[in-house]
Amino acid sequence: NAVSDTLVLQATNLPPGPGLYFQGNNAVNSGNGNAFGDGLRCAGGGVKRLEVRFSNAANGFATSTTVSVSAAGGVSAGQTKRYQLWYRDTATGAPCSSGFNLSNGLEITWAP
């Protein structure tokens, strides 16, 4: 069953630079995530890249998806998927100074 969506994933308060929105099948570590860069990776298993977006001063250091999330992720009705943004963070003073971080995770069960 295909789904149609108007979902827009958005991240704010980002450093300038690229970020990758991605989808996973599983909640990593029962939803608690695993340390990854300066954050926690919460979406995993069968990961699909959805879209690369850039944040900068012109867009208020925020990004939003411009693609159909369900189409880019190949989602069917009834499936539960997890989403995050993986972004470059080279700012001095970043918690672990690893050069990248992740947004909070989001879990969605898709309806027809």
Side-chain angles (χ1 to χ4, degrees), residues 5-19:
D5 76 83
T6 56
L7 176 69
V8 174
L9 300 174
Q10 183 177 39
T12 58
N13 300 315
L14 298 168

Side-chain angles (χ1 to χ4, degrees), residues 7-9 24 42-43 81-84 103-108:
L7 176 69
V8 174
L9 300 174
C42 300
K81 302 291 183 179
R82 287 81 183 175
Y83 299 91
Q84 276 188 284
S103 67
N104 291 340
L106 177 66
E107 180 176 273
I108 296 174

Side-chain angles (χ1 to χ4, degrees), residues 24-82:
N25 294 331
N26 305 321
V28 174
N29 192 20
S30 301
N32 294 314
N34 285 337
F36 188 64
D38 286 344
L40 294 173
R41 182 166 171 218
C42 300
V47 170
K48 289 192 177 187
R49 296 175 179 202
L50 301 176
E51 184 176 22
V52 173
R53 301 290 292 159
F54 287 80
S55 65
N56 56 44
N59 59 24
F61 299 102
T63 67
S64 298
T65 53
T66 61
V67 298
S68 166
V69 174
S70 64
V75 176
S76 295
Q79 291 182 317
T80 299
K81 302 291 183 179
R82 287 81 183 175

